[in-house]
Amino acid sequence: AGIDLTPRRPVLREVDVRPGSAFDLMRESISGLGSLSGRTGEEYSRLSTQEWSDVAFTNLAVSLDTFQTNLVLARQTVATPGLQVPTCDSMSARLPYIAGTRGLVRLLQASAYRKASRGDCAGAFADLKTGLEFGIASSQGGTAIMHLVDVACSGLAAKGMLRIAARQPVPESVATNMIRDLAAIEVKVEPLAEMFRYEYLMVSNDVSSQPLANMLDMGCSGGSVEAKILIRVAPLLGSTRQTVERNLRACYTHLVHLSAMPWNPVAWNEFDARFEGHSSIWSILKRRDPAGFVAATMVIPGMSNAAYKSVQRLFLLRGARVFLAVDLYNRKYGKLPAAAGDLLPEFLPEVPLDPFDGKPIRFKPGENGTWKVYSVGRNGVDDGGMGDSIQGEDIVLSPVEFRLRRP
């Protein structure tokens, strides 16, 4: 009750995008980049473990030289106010800029490693900042898929910063500016609730614009026996377009409600459980609105994981600030801080909060100069920093993880 599912921005149709707009710049900046991964995929996989040289990364080096104009346009794009991607109003809509966005940010990451290898840390961090801002800009007004692309771009750019900081001294002014910029960039992140609002807009448009039989056919492996049974029986059991729309609205209202609350693993698990273990035709037919359930299972599963990745991204942006601040403290004083509070106010104005439990992000010094910055992660339990930046209960950022792995 009281939860509004109307997106905060006005709906933008692609045909209404003005020539020369920020979105036009965005399209130009990713032109030709969708196929990059085929030529450079193997080299991208080595970027996290191998020191950059144009010889070791031949294809990436050629791509950087070839697509310099794209990188310039990307910087112009993020500097242009008011960027909003066209509203996706159908699940069948084409989104050609998805692959190009990720390709561009990966190219900016490669550019940053190249610049860092030449001693230009300021230029490297500027490229990674552009990558962060470009990913965020690409999700403004977008649905779940664009939000997840944005999250992936944030991971590429933020971890690129941490790898550079773990491998070579970053000038104090560069690191200090980046700590400030990361806080400002976080403010631009599309709220999770807004992603669900745009997703609901897309889904509700599709439901209201096609016959119930078509929707059931799509949700049950079109043409299957199950689909044929549902198409005949679901209306007899009470399913109508109105019940489907009402139940989908209730699902998305709950998603918006959950996304506005502090992270609650129990609540998200309970939401997921509503759609698990009911895949057989007979279990579906036992429901009060079989068609509504089928429609929900087409679009809802996976949303809790999207929410988790979104919150994980917030930790990455905040944890990177603490990581850079610890590195600055260590290089200036020749020792590690005893606690995160020692970074205040010289290196951080405050210790950012862990988005998973609302408490200050944890810092843990270890033996032989090792240390880690970590979040309690998905389960909300402090496991003492057991994990890494990809998997494990706690989400951990450690210089050991980001240094070069030499044979």
Side-chain angles (χ1 to χ4, degrees):
I3 294 178
D4 187 5
L5 290 180
T6 305
R8 299 295 184 252
R9 295 186 187 84
V11 170
L12 177 67
R13 311 292 181 193
E14 190 158 358
V15 294
D16 297 327
V17 174
R18 298 189 310 276
S21 67
F23 181 66
D24 251 8
L25 272 177
M26 177 185 168
R27 283 190 293 200
E28 288 183 53
S29 65
I30 60 177
S31 176
L33 298 181
S35 61
L36 261 185
S37 59
R39 300 194 299 273
T40 58
E42 186 275 332
E43 291 184 2
Y44 274 126
S45 68
R46 290 190 281 114
L47 273 177
S48 62
T49 59
Q50 186 174 345
E51 189 170 5
W52 176 277
S53 75
D54 284 8
V55 174
F57 296 93
T58 307
N59 289 322
L60 276 175
V62 170
S63 296
L64 284 172
D65 295 335
T66 302
F67 292 104
Q68 275 300 309
T69 299
N70 296 68
L71 301 187
V72 171
L73 288 170
R75 297 180 189 108
Q76 293 176 6
T77 298
V78 300
T80 304
L83 173 60
Q84 177 183 341
V85 298
T87 307
C88 182
D89 56 6
S90 171
M91 288 184 282
S92 61
R94 293 179 65 251
L95 299 171
Y97 39 88
I98 289 179
T101 296
R102 187 176 172 91
L104 176 78
V105 175
R106 294 180 84 172
L107 203 60
L108 284 163
Q109 185 190 43
S111 175
Y113 288 140
R114 182 194 232 181
K115 289 178 179 178
S117 74
R118 298 171 177 177
D120 182 12
C121 280
F125 272 47
D127 278 345
L128 293 169
K129 178 186 174 186
T130 297
L132 281 169
E133 293 181 319
F134 195 91
I136 290 169
S138 71
S139 70
Q140 304 298 296
T143 49
I145 185 64
M146 287 308 299
H147 192 87
L148 290 173
V149 169
D150 168 25
V151 168
C153 291
S154 287
L156 289 171
K159 289 180 182 180
M161 293 177 189
L162 302 187
R163 288 191 183 104
I164 291 171
R167 297 172 185 179
Q168 65 192 82
V170 177
E172 182 176 352
S173 60
V174 173
T176 299
N177 287 339
M178 199 66 244
I179 290 170
R180 181 199 63 220
D181 290 341
L182 284 168
I185 286 170
E186 183 187 331
V187 175
K188 301 177 183 178
V189 169
E190 184 86 312
L192 182 59
E194 196 69 355
M195 179 200 80
F196 288 132
R197 290 188 179 100
Y198 278 105
E199 192 77 6
Y200 172 71
L201 175 67
M202 175 185 71
V203 170
S204 61
N205 281 344
D206 276 355
V207 169
S208 64
S209 63
Q210 62 180 311
L212 199 61
N214 288 7
M215 184 180 60
L216 289 169
D217 202 40
M218 285 191 299
C220 294
S221 303
S224 67
V225 173
E226 289 85 354
K228 292 175 181 177
I229 293 174
L230 270 174
I231 288 169
R232 289 180 177 273
V233 177
L236 301 177
L237 296 176
S239 287
T240 65
R241 186 189 304 282
Q242 290 72 32
T243 64
V244 173
E245 291 175 346
R246 183 170 64 247
N247 284 318
L248 282 173
R249 183 176 184 85
C251 286
Y252 279 98
T253 297
H254 193 59
L255 284 169
V256 171
H257 170 67
L258 285 178
S259 66
M261 297 168 56
W263 177 257
N264 185 334
V266 174
W268 282 104
N269 289 339
E270 289 176 348
F271 182 78
D272 281 346
R274 299 181 187 186
F275 305 98
E276 295 172 354
H278 301 286
S279 57
S280 75
I281 181 67
W282 308 116
S283 64
I284 293 173
L285 288 174
K286 291 177 183 178
R287 308 187 78 86
R288 285 180 294 178
D289 178 17
F293 181 77
V294 169
T297 56
M298 288 170 59
V299 295
I300 298 297
M303 287 301 173
S304 65
N305 196 48
Y308 166 68
K309 290 182 179 297
S310 182
V311 178
Q312 184 186 45
R313 184 261 294 276
L314 289 180
F315 164 69
L316 191 55
L317 293 177
R318 296 174 187 179
R321 289 156 57 194
V322 180
F323 188 105
L324 293 172
V326 172
D327 184 60
L328 282 174
Y329 184 105
N330 191 22
R331 287 194 285 117
K332 181 171 183 177
Y333 295 109
K335 63 177 182 179
L336 292 171
D342 294 349
L343 301 170
L344 312 182
E346 185 176 3
F347 303 101
L348 285 173
E350 73 283 320
V351 179
L353 300 181
D354 184 342
F356 284 100
D357 70 352
K359 297 177 181 178
I361 285 175
R362 280 79 170 170
F363 163 73
K364 186 176 182 179
E367 297 179 354
N368 302 317
T370 62
W371 51 273
K372 57 182 69 174
V373 171
Y374 72 95
S375 160
V376 296
R378 190 171 200 152
N379 66 1
V381 177
D382 187 345
D383 295 302
M386 299 299 293
D388 56 39
S389 67
I390 300 173
Q391 57 191 349
E393 295 300 342
D394 292 344
I395 307 169
V396 179
L397 307 177
S398 167
V400 173
E401 178 187 356
F402 292 118
R403 288 181 186 135
L404 291 170
R405 300 171 193 170
R406 302 190 184 280

PDB file of all heavy atoms in Angstrom, residues 325-326 329-330 333 335-348 350-351 363 365:
ATOM      1  N   ALA A 325      42.174   4.557   0.737  1.00  0.00           N
ATOM      2  CA  ALA A 325      42.560   5.313   1.928  1.00  0.00           C
ATOM      3  C   ALA A 325      43.554   4.528   2.771  1.00  0.00           C
ATOM      4  O   ALA A 325      44.531   5.101   3.296  1.00  0.00           O
ATOM      5  CB  ALA A 325      41.316   5.648   2.756  1.00  0.00           C
ATOM      6  N   VAL A 326      43.355   3.222   2.923  1.00  0.00           N
ATOM      7  CA  VAL A 326      44.310   2.394   3.676  1.00  0.00           C
ATOM      8  C   VAL A 326      45.665   2.401   2.991  1.00  0.00           C
ATOM      9  O   VAL A 326      46.718   2.517   3.643  1.00  0.00           O
ATOM     10  CB  VAL A 326      43.783   0.948   3.817  1.00  0.00           C
ATOM     11  CG1 VAL A 326      44.855   0.035   4.419  1.00  0.00           C
ATOM     12  CG2 VAL A 326      42.521   0.911   4.677  1.00  0.00           C
ATOM     13  N   TYR A 329      47.392   5.699   3.725  1.00  0.00           N
ATOM     14  CA  TYR A 329      47.855   5.715   5.120  1.00  0.00           C
ATOM     15  C   TYR A 329      49.128   4.879   5.251  1.00  0.00           C
ATOM     16  O   TYR A 329      50.127   5.320   5.864  1.00  0.00           O
ATOM     17  CB  TYR A 329      46.750   5.146   6.022  1.00  0.00           C
ATOM     18  CG  TYR A 329      47.049   5.187   7.496  1.00  0.00           C
ATOM     19  CD1 TYR A 329      46.439   6.112   8.330  1.00  0.00           C
ATOM     20  CD2 TYR A 329      47.952   4.283   8.081  1.00  0.00           C
ATOM     21  CE1 TYR A 329      46.710   6.158   9.690  1.00  0.00           C
ATOM     22  CE2 TYR A 329      48.218   4.312   9.436  1.00  0.00           C
ATOM     23  CZ  TYR A 329      47.595   5.250  10.237  1.00  0.00           C
ATOM     24  OH  TYR A 329      47.854   5.287  11.581  1.00  0.00           O
ATOM     25  N   ASN A 330      49.109   3.705   4.675  1.00  0.00           N
ATOM     26  CA  ASN A 330      50.236   2.781   4.784  1.00  0.00           C
ATOM     27  C   ASN A 330      51.496   3.371   4.166  1.00  0.00           C
ATOM     28  O   ASN A 330      52.606   3.273   4.730  1.00  0.00           O
ATOM     29  CB  ASN A 330      49.866   1.467   4.101  1.00  0.00           C
ATOM     30  CG  ASN A 330      50.860   0.350   4.384  1.00  0.00           C
ATOM     31  OD1 ASN A 330      51.589   0.380   5.366  1.00  0.00           O
ATOM     32  ND2 ASN A 330      50.887  -0.637   3.509  1.00  0.00           N
ATOM     33  N   TYR A 333      52.640   6.604   6.439  1.00  0.00           N
ATOM     34  CA  TYR A 333      53.128   6.366   7.802  1.00  0.00           C
ATOM     35  C   TYR A 333      53.963   5.102   7.951  1.00  0.00           C
ATOM     36  O   TYR A 333      54.488   4.827   9.028  1.00  0.00           O
ATOM     37  CB  TYR A 333      51.943   6.319   8.777  1.00  0.00           C
ATOM     38  CG  TYR A 333      51.232   7.647   8.889  1.00  0.00           C
ATOM     39  CD1 TYR A 333      49.962   7.823   8.355  1.00  0.00           C
ATOM     40  CD2 TYR A 333      51.836   8.752   9.507  1.00  0.00           C
ATOM     41  CE1 TYR A 333      49.306   9.048   8.447  1.00  0.00           C
ATOM     42  CE2 TYR A 333      51.201   9.969   9.594  1.00  0.00           C
ATOM     43  CZ  TYR A 333      49.935  10.114   9.061  1.00  0.00           C
ATOM     44  OH  TYR A 333      49.283  11.330   9.151  1.00  0.00           O
ATOM     45  N   LYS A 335      53.045   2.083   8.077  1.00  0.00           N
ATOM     46  CA  LYS A 335      52.369   1.051   8.867  1.00  0.00           C
ATOM     47  C   LYS A 335      50.884   1.078   8.528  1.00  0.00           C
ATOM     48  O   LYS A 335      50.382   2.037   7.925  1.00  0.00           O
ATOM     49  CB  LYS A 335      52.562   1.299  10.360  1.00  0.00           C
ATOM     50  CG  LYS A 335      51.953   2.618  10.838  1.00  0.00           C
ATOM     51  CD  LYS A 335      52.110   2.792  12.342  1.00  0.00           C
ATOM     52  CE  LYS A 335      51.436   4.105  12.807  1.00  0.00           C
ATOM     53  NZ  LYS A 335      51.550   4.287  14.262  1.00  0.00           N
ATOM     54  N   LEU A 336      50.211   0.022   8.925  1.00  0.00           N
ATOM     55  CA  LEU A 336      48.773  -0.052   8.673  1.00  0.00           C
ATOM     56  C   LEU A 336      48.003   0.620   9.799  1.00  0.00           C
ATOM     57  O   LEU A 336      48.456   0.633  10.948  1.00  0.00           O
ATOM     58  CB  LEU A 336      48.328  -1.513   8.575  1.00  0.00           C
ATOM     59  CG  LEU A 336      48.826  -2.293   7.357  1.00  0.00           C
ATOM     60  CD1 LEU A 336      48.487  -3.769   7.513  1.00  0.00           C
ATOM     61  CD2 LEU A 336      48.209  -1.730   6.077  1.00  0.00           C
ATOM     62  N   PRO A 337      46.846   1.186   9.500  1.00  0.00           N
ATOM     63  CA  PRO A 337      45.998   1.687  10.592  1.00  0.00           C
ATOM     64  C   PRO A 337      45.536   0.523  11.462  1.00  0.00           C
ATOM     65  O   PRO A 337      45.379  -0.602  10.976  1.00  0.00           O
ATOM     66  CB  PRO A 337      44.821   2.335   9.852  1.00  0.00           C
ATOM     67  CG  PRO A 337      44.791   1.666   8.515  1.00  0.00           C
ATOM     68  CD  PRO A 337      46.202   1.329   8.172  1.00  0.00           C
ATOM     69  N   ALA A 338      45.332   0.795  12.729  1.00  0.00           N
ATOM     70  CA  ALA A 338      44.841  -0.260  13.626  1.00  0.00           C
ATOM     71  C   ALA A 338      43.373  -0.568  13.354  1.00  0.00           C
ATOM     72  O   ALA A 338      42.917  -1.697  13.545  1.00  0.00           O
ATOM     73  CB  ALA A 338      45.042   0.156  15.076  1.00  0.00           C
ATOM     74  N   ALA A 339      42.647   0.439  12.913  1.00  0.00           N
ATOM     75  CA  ALA A 339      41.218   0.286  12.636  1.00  0.00           C
ATOM     76  C   ALA A 339      40.826   1.296  11.559  1.00  0.00           C
ATOM     77  O   ALA A 339      41.554   2.265  11.302  1.00  0.00           O
ATOM     78  CB  ALA A 339      40.400   0.502  13.900  1.00  0.00           C
ATOM     79  N   ALA A 340      39.679   1.085  10.945  1.00  0.00           N
ATOM     80  CA  ALA A 340      39.229   1.976   9.880  1.00  0.00           C
ATOM     81  C   ALA A 340      39.062   3.406  10.377  1.00  0.00           C
ATOM     82  O   ALA A 340      39.262   4.371   9.628  1.00  0.00           O
ATOM     83  CB  ALA A 340      37.925   1.466   9.275  1.00  0.00           C
ATOM     84  N   GLY A 341      38.728   3.564  11.650  1.00  0.00           N
ATOM     85  CA  GLY A 341      38.551   4.897  12.213  1.00  0.00           C
ATOM     86  C   GLY A 341      39.816   5.730  12.183  1.00  0.00           C
ATOM     87  O   GLY A 341      39.744   6.970  12.208  1.00  0.00           O
ATOM     88  N   ASP A 342      40.978   5.075  12.123  1.00  0.00           N
ATOM     89  CA  ASP A 342      42.249   5.815  12.066  1.00  0.00           C
ATOM     90  C   ASP A 342      42.421   6.565  10.749  1.00  0.00           C
ATOM     91  O   ASP A 342      43.301   7.430  10.631  1.00  0.00           O
ATOM     92  CB  ASP A 342      43.431   4.849  12.251  1.00  0.00           C
ATOM     93  CG  ASP A 342      43.469   4.240  13.639  1.00  0.00           C
ATOM     94  OD1 ASP A 342      42.721   4.712  14.517  1.00  0.00           O
ATOM     95  OD2 ASP A 342      44.241   3.283  13.845  1.00  0.00           O
ATOM     96  N   LEU A 343      41.607   6.246   9.763  1.00  0.00           N
ATOM     97  CA  LEU A 343      41.700   6.917   8.463  1.00  0.00           C
ATOM     98  C   LEU A 343      41.038   8.296   8.482  1.00  0.00           C
ATOM     99  O   LEU A 343      41.209   9.083   7.550  1.00  0.00           O
ATOM    100  CB  LEU A 343      41.038   6.057   7.388  1.00  0.00           C
ATOM    101  CG  LEU A 343      41.610   4.645   7.196  1.00  0.00           C
ATOM    102  CD1 LEU A 343      40.705   3.822   6.283  1.00  0.00           C
ATOM    103  CD2 LEU A 343      43.028   4.720   6.618  1.00  0.00           C
ATOM    104  N   LEU A 344      40.275   8.576   9.548  1.00  0.00           N
ATOM    105  CA  LEU A 344      39.522   9.828   9.652  1.00  0.00           C
ATOM    106  C   LEU A 344      40.325  10.880  10.388  1.00  0.00           C
ATOM    107  O   LEU A 344      41.036  10.577  11.344  1.00  0.00           O
ATOM    108  CB  LEU A 344      38.205   9.586  10.400  1.00  0.00           C
ATOM    109  CG  LEU A 344      37.331   8.383   9.984  1.00  0.00           C
ATOM    110  CD1 LEU A 344      36.058   8.347  10.799  1.00  0.00           C
ATOM    111  CD2 LEU A 344      37.030   8.417   8.507  1.00  0.00           C
ATOM    112  N   PRO A 345      40.219  12.129  10.037  1.00  0.00           N
ATOM    113  CA  PRO A 345      39.574  12.656   8.820  1.00  0.00           C
ATOM    114  C   PRO A 345      40.555  12.870   7.679  1.00  0.00           C
ATOM    115  O   PRO A 345      40.185  13.411   6.649  1.00  0.00           O
ATOM    116  CB  PRO A 345      39.035  13.995   9.307  1.00  0.00           C
ATOM    117  CG  PRO A 345      40.090  14.466  10.264  1.00  0.00           C
ATOM    118  CD  PRO A 345      40.632  13.219  10.943  1.00  0.00           C
ATOM    119  N   GLU A 346      41.830  12.449   7.886  1.00  0.00           N
ATOM    120  CA  GLU A 346      42.860  12.773   6.906  1.00  0.00           C
ATOM    121  C   GLU A 346      42.614  12.126   5.543  1.00  0.00           C
ATOM    122  O   GLU A 346      42.821  12.760   4.490  1.00  0.00           O
ATOM    123  CB  GLU A 346      44.237  12.354   7.434  1.00  0.00           C
ATOM    124  CG  GLU A 346      45.389  12.773   6.532  1.00  0.00           C
ATOM    125  CD  GLU A 346      46.751  12.424   7.123  1.00  0.00           C
ATOM    126  OE1 GLU A 346      46.798  11.801   8.206  1.00  0.00           O
ATOM    127  OE2 GLU A 346      47.764  12.777   6.485  1.00  0.00           O
ATOM    128  N   PHE A 347      42.175  10.882   5.549  1.00  0.00           N
ATOM    129  CA  PHE A 347      42.041  10.149   4.289  1.00  0.00           C
ATOM    130  C   PHE A 347      40.590   9.882   3.884  1.00  0.00           C
ATOM    131  O   PHE A 347      40.310   9.643   2.712  1.00  0.00           O
ATOM    132  CB  PHE A 347      42.800   8.822   4.381  1.00  0.00           C
ATOM    133  CG  PHE A 347      44.256   9.004   4.707  1.00  0.00           C
ATOM    134  CD1 PHE A 347      44.730   8.804   5.995  1.00  0.00           C
ATOM    135  CD2 PHE A 347      45.157   9.415   3.733  1.00  0.00           C
ATOM    136  CE1 PHE A 347      46.067   8.984   6.304  1.00  0.00           C
ATOM    137  CE2 PHE A 347      46.503   9.599   4.033  1.00  0.00           C
ATOM    138  CZ  PHE A 347      46.964   9.393   5.324  1.00  0.00           C
ATOM    139  N   LEU A 348      39.702   9.895   4.852  1.00  0.00           N
ATOM    140  CA  LEU A 348      38.268   9.722   4.595  1.00  0.00           C
ATOM    141  C   LEU A 348      37.489  10.660   5.500  1.00  0.00           C
ATOM    142  O   LEU A 348      37.854  10.821   6.671  1.00  0.00           O
ATOM    143  CB  LEU A 348      37.824   8.283   4.903  1.00  0.00           C
ATOM    144  CG  LEU A 348      38.168   7.146   3.939  1.00  0.00           C
ATOM    145  CD1 LEU A 348      37.764   5.816   4.561  1.00  0.00           C
ATOM    146  CD2 LEU A 348      37.489   7.340   2.591  1.00  0.00           C
ATOM    147  N   GLU A 350      34.456  10.009   6.493  1.00  0.00           N
ATOM    148  CA  GLU A 350      33.794   9.055   7.374  1.00  0.00           C
ATOM    149  C   GLU A 350      34.011   7.669   6.785  1.00  0.00           C
ATOM    150  O   GLU A 350      34.364   7.528   5.618  1.00  0.00           O
ATOM    151  CB  GLU A 350      32.292   9.344   7.514  1.00  0.00           C
ATOM    152  CG  GLU A 350      31.442   9.003   6.299  1.00  0.00           C
ATOM    153  CD  GLU A 350      31.550  10.021   5.174  1.00  0.00           C
ATOM    154  OE1 GLU A 350      31.597  11.233   5.494  1.00  0.00           O
ATOM    155  OE2 GLU A 350      31.610   9.612   3.988  1.00  0.00           O
ATOM    156  N   VAL A 351      33.838   6.645   7.608  1.00  0.00           N
ATOM    157  CA  VAL A 351      33.931   5.276   7.097  1.00  0.00           C
ATOM    158  C   VAL A 351      32.593   4.934   6.445  1.00  0.00           C
ATOM    159  O   VAL A 351      31.558   4.966   7.121  1.00  0.00           O
ATOM    160  CB  VAL A 351      34.251   4.272   8.216  1.00  0.00           C
ATOM    161  CG1 VAL A 351      34.323   2.848   7.633  1.00  0.00           C
ATOM    162  CG2 VAL A 351      35.567   4.618   8.906  1.00  0.00           C
ATOM    163  N   PHE A 363      37.599  -3.230   8.266  1.00  0.00           N
ATOM    164  CA  PHE A 363      39.000  -3.275   7.869  1.00  0.00           C
ATOM    165  C   PHE A 363      39.706  -4.209   8.840  1.00  0.00           C
ATOM    166  O   PHE A 363      39.503  -4.126  10.053  1.00  0.00           O
ATOM    167  CB  PHE A 363      39.647  -1.890   7.929  1.00  0.00           C
ATOM    168  CG  PHE A 363      41.152  -1.938   7.932  1.00  0.00           C
ATOM    169  CD1 PHE A 363      41.843  -2.272   6.778  1.00  0.00           C
ATOM    170  CD2 PHE A 363      41.870  -1.680   9.087  1.00  0.00           C
ATOM    171  CE1 PHE A 363      43.227  -2.343   6.780  1.00  0.00           C
ATOM    172  CE2 PHE A 363      43.263  -1.737   9.101  1.00  0.00           C
ATOM    173  CZ  PHE A 363      43.940  -2.074   7.937  1.00  0.00           C
ATOM    174  N   PRO A 365      43.584  -5.715   9.606  1.00  0.00           N
ATOM    175  CA  PRO A 365      45.011  -5.919   9.323  1.00  0.00           C
ATOM    176  C   PRO A 365      45.393  -7.369   9.596  1.00  0.00           C
ATOM    177  O   PRO A 365      44.815  -8.025  10.473  1.00  0.00           O
ATOM    178  CB  PRO A 365      45.701  -4.964  10.307  1.00  0.00           C
ATOM    179  CG  PRO A 365      44.713  -4.763  11.409  1.00  0.00           C
ATOM    180  CD  PRO A 365      43.349  -4.928  10.813  1.00  0.00           C
TER     181      PRO A 365
END
